[in-house]
Amino acid sequence: MKKAWWKEAVVYQIYPRSYMDSNGDGVGDIPGIISKLDYIKSLGVDIIWLCPVYESPNDDNGYDISDYRKISEEFGGDPAFDELLEKIHGKGLKLVMDLVVNHSSDEHEWFEESRKSKDSPYRDYYFWKPGKDNGPPNNWTSFFSGSTWEYDSRTDEYFLHLFTKKQPDLNWENPKVRQEIYDVVDYWFKRGIDGFRMDVISLISKQLEFEDASNPENYEETIKTRYANGPRIHEFLQEMNKEVLSKYDIMTVGEGPGIDLDNALFYVDDSRDELNMVFHFDHMFIDNGPGGKYDPIEMNFIRFKEVFSQWDERLKGKGWGSIFLGNHDFSRMVSRFGSDSEFRVESSKMLAMLLLSMRGTVYVYQGDEIGMTNVAFPQITDYNDVETLNSWKEAEERGEDMNAFMKLVHKQSRDNARTPMQWDSSQNAGFSSGTPWIKVNPNYEEINVADQEPDSDSILNFYRKMIAFRKNNPCLVYGDYQDLAPQHPSLFAFRRWDEDSESLVLLNFSSTELMADINLDFDKFEIAISNMDEGADPKLLLPWQGILLKRIN
Ligand code: ISL
Ligand code: CA
């Protein structure tokens, strides 16, 4: 496997609104991040991925950009950004930004011009269509509820928006649009950033027939058959690579629904010169029913493990994977895959062990390093996320039992991951001296950085230990992967090895003890890391215990 800095990296994802507020306006900002750079460096991570900080009306918290070259004043503006980048580099870290170019904000000047008239030179920057039978051009529904088409009376046509109506989709068919985007990308590389995470890149090429979805209420099917992986997607990515990406030593990771085992290599096969990595959602959508996130089904643990095996098998030797268990779009990793009550500490550490011993580039989401959990706000008015609020409205219109729906919100809302970072036990968890834009999780008095710093047994210090261990054991980065107990209902046991070394990882995904009955010569291994006081028998795993063993050389 060819080596590269971005393959060996551990990435720390920051959701800037919720990280650290420096000026008391309740909104996290860039000076706030600067004040925490020593903390970030102390984790042992290599790269910061910063969610969007560009100028934006914030209909979708920055994923609706109105100026691609400007840092939002709310976050501190361009001078603060320049200082951040310089300090990040000064610490030997790198910075990856978000590139959101499937859509812009409706307040971007391109769209403001586009909507003025059918003859506007910007008309073709977006998708405009006449209606059909007094309604929208087709039956597509947006990721965030309702039709993907919004009527604009000025020109008596509809425009396409796969997300909110303030996020009109850019028309990549238009070469001028593509050139504008490549110029933006080039602008940021010239400014010195080290890569891009490309938002919903799987959606940029549209099926121009705009054919009705056959089962519009089936979310996954519609994504796969209508929205994602359009006919020119790879042509566009290869063009972007040739025009700009290939000219810099940077990293790219594409995000997007509809990226699956069958098509991933088209994006990341080394020989195709498109992207370095993609995020897939096979494990993240594992508890989604046909209606999506607000139609949950039970998590299938055997399938969960299978996802890791299948992806490793598919990419090995050809492309490179990305490993993550949470981000700003999903509920908290410990609440989903671990146990956020009695065994919160144990299971947070165990999940850290999983993350940091898989093959691929590892992404740690802010707050997971201290075991932050989901939140259960009592009122829908406590929520901010547009996806949550729209789903709520739809459920209300359908006449659903709203108490039951509230439970779903508690479980699934993206705001679970967006409550402020919990720094200490002072007011607002030390996040802000003002009123935070979204409430702090009330458990901040128990779960916060300040308490965990001095405690050598804390989740935080366990992350540091695991990250350092991974750095010292390249076998965990590049080595081969094998699941040792794929059918076991609660044990995740796998092997990582290369020419020089071998590690075993045993993880108990349950609240009861278990015997890891696997056919291996345990005498040849010694315990390197455990998330609990090391027991005498590595095969006997306590609830949520994780053990990493290394072959004795
Ligand atoms: O969040 C999801 C499910 O609840 C995903 O389907 C998500 O909408 C999808 O992966 C795209 O996410 C990205 O683009 C969105 C933005 O809202 C997300 O925050 C971003 O990560 C639109 O730009
Ligand atoms: Ca602020």
Side-chain angles (χ1 to χ4, degrees), residues 11 30 43 77 87 120 137 161 192 197 199 206 208-209 228 267 273 304 320 357 371 375 382 439 451 470 505 513 540:
V11 182
I30 292 173
L43 299 172
K87 293 205 161 136
S120 159
H161 61 91
R197 175 266 190 190
D199 190 64
K206 311 296 187 231
L208 301 173
E209 308 79 26
Y267 288 89
D273 293 329
F304 178 77
W320 192 250
S357 53
V375 71
D382 294 328
K439 284 188 182 156
D451 274 4
R470 183 177 175 92
V505 180
E513 255 176 46
L540 177 71

Side-chain angles (χ1 to χ4, degrees), residues 13-16 49-70 75 96-106 108 110 125-126 144 162-164 166-172 177 180-182 184-185 188-189 193 195-204 206 240 253-257 328-329 414 418:
Q13 182 192 351
I14 294 184
Y15 196 68
W49 153 26
L50 192 56
C51 285
V53 287
Y54 314 93
E55 200 175 84
S56 163
N58 286 314
D59 192 48
D60 186 18
N61 288 352
Y63 282 94
D64 47 321
I65 295 169
S66 51
D67 188 336
Y68 286 105
R69 288 180 169 79
K70 242 174 108 181
F75 287 144
V96 164
M97 304 253 287
D98 232 296
L99 182 72
V100 189
V101 288
N102 170 68
H103 44 270
S104 72
S105 163
D106 66 337
H108 192 290
W110 299 335
Y125 273 47
Y126 297 88
F144 297 150
L162 292 181
F163 294 89
T164 79
K166 288 185 68 62
Q167 294 169 297
D169 282 57
L170 283 161
N171 178 8
W172 280 65
V177 168
E180 299 261 22
I181 291 168
Y182 306 153
V184 165
V185 172
W188 284 102
F189 289 152
I193 72 162
F196 273 120
R197 175 266 190 190
M198 300 187 181
D199 190 64
V200 287
I201 206 69
S202 54
L203 308 181
I204 58 175
K206 311 296 187 231
M240 171 154 59
V253 52
E255 185 252 14
H328 63 294
D329 288 334
R414 302 197 296 181
R418 298 176 180 187

Side-chain angles (χ1 to χ4, degrees), residues 224-261:
K224 293 215 159 153
T225 57
R226 294 290 183 274
Y227 302 165
N229 311 307
R232 297 182 70 188
I233 175 78
H234 299 294
E235 179 195 333
F236 294 159
L237 288 175
Q238 281 170 16
E239 184 181 78
M240 171 154 59
N241 188 297
K242 186 162 153 265
E243 296 285 318
V244 44
L245 305 179
S246 58
K247 298 182 175 152
Y248 298 89
D249 178 23
I250 48 87
M251 65 155 256
T252 53
V253 52
E255 185 252 14
I259 295 177
D260 62 21
L261 272 177

Side-chain angles (χ1 to χ4, degrees), residues 190-449:
K190 289 232 161 73
R191 227 167 131 169
I193 72 162
D194 305 291
F196 273 120
R197 175 266 190 190
M198 300 187 181
D199 190 64
V200 287
I201 206 69
S202 54
L203 308 181
I204 58 175
S205 160
K206 311 296 187 231
Q207 297 184 19
L208 301 173
E209 308 79 26
F210 292 104
E211 200 184 320
D212 271 346
S214 9
N215 275 313
E217 42 328 294
N218 189 320
Y219 179 75
E220 222 178 304
E221 183 190 312
T222 306
I223 291 172
K224 293 215 159 153
T225 57
R226 294 290 183 274
Y227 302 165
N229 311 307
R232 297 182 70 188
I233 175 78
H234 299 294
E235 179 195 333
F236 294 159
L237 288 175
Q238 281 170 16
E239 184 181 78
M240 171 154 59
N241 188 297
K242 186 162 153 265
E243 296 285 318
V244 44
L245 305 179
S246 58
K247 298 182 175 152
Y248 298 89
D249 178 23
I250 48 87
M251 65 155 256
T252 53
V253 52
E255 185 252 14
I259 295 177
D260 62 21
L261 272 177
D262 296 333
N263 59 41
L265 279 174
F266 293 127
Y267 288 89
V268 300
D269 192 314
D270 259 351
S271 64
R272 290 176 58 87
D273 293 329
E274 295 192 17
L275 300 175
N276 295 142
M277 293 166 270
V278 287
F279 289 118
H280 72 80
F281 295 118
D282 283 358
H283 58 312
M284 302 302 281
F285 288 165
I286 201 164
D287 52 355
N288 282 14
K293 198 173 199 173
Y294 286 93
D295 176 26
I297 54 173
E298 225 196 306
M299 178 100 60
N300 178 337
F301 178 65
I302 291 173
R303 169 71 191 135
F304 178 77
K305 293 186 288 184
E306 187 187 45
V307 168
F308 285 91
S309 296
Q310 289 179 330
W311 276 88
D312 189 79
E313 182 62 34
R314 182 55 49 96
L315 297 181
K316 82 173 175 207
K318 304 196 184 87
W320 192 250
S322 38
I323 304 293
F324 73 107
L325 291 170
N327 64 29
H328 63 294
D329 288 334
F330 294 91
S331 41
R332 281 284 172 185
M333 121 184 155
V334 66
S335 302
R336 291 191 78 188
F337 303 114
S339 158
D340 64 6
S341 49
E342 196 188 341
F343 296 108
R344 183 185 64 85
V345 174
E346 293 78 2
S347 63
S348 289
K349 292 179 188 172
M350 196 205 71
L351 291 169
M353 200 177 253
L354 171 63
L355 266 178
L356 289 155
S357 53
M358 278 280 166
R359 174 153 56 187
T361 296
V362 177
Y363 296 78
V364 176
Y365 181 62
Q366 72 179 44
D368 284 344
E369 79 276 23
I370 55 167
M372 280 178 64
T373 68
N374 281 355
V375 71
F377 293 133
Q379 306 290 335
I380 190 65
T381 47
D382 294 328
Y383 287 84
N384 169 280
D385 167 34
V386 63
E387 180 190 71
T388 310
L389 299 179
N390 288 357
S391 305
W392 177 271
K393 249 194 299 187
E394 274 202 338
E396 241 174 4
E397 282 160 17
R398 286 194 303 265
E400 279 191 29
D401 169 356
M402 295 314 283
N403 286 325
F405 200 81
M406 197 59 178
K407 293 217 173 76
L408 278 180
V409 168
H410 292 165
K411 189 168 167 327
Q412 303 288 61
S413 171
R414 302 197 296 181
D415 282 339
N416 281 308
R418 298 176 180 187
T419 60
M421 179 71 184
Q422 294 164 202
W423 294 106
D424 58 40
S425 59
S426 71
Q427 209 195 4
N428 299 324
F431 162 73
S432 171
S433 60
T435 308
W437 68 276
I438 185 168
K439 284 188 182 156
V440 172
N441 190 320
N443 64 19
Y444 72 91
E445 288 180 23
E446 288 149 62
I447 305 173
N448 63 66
V449 173

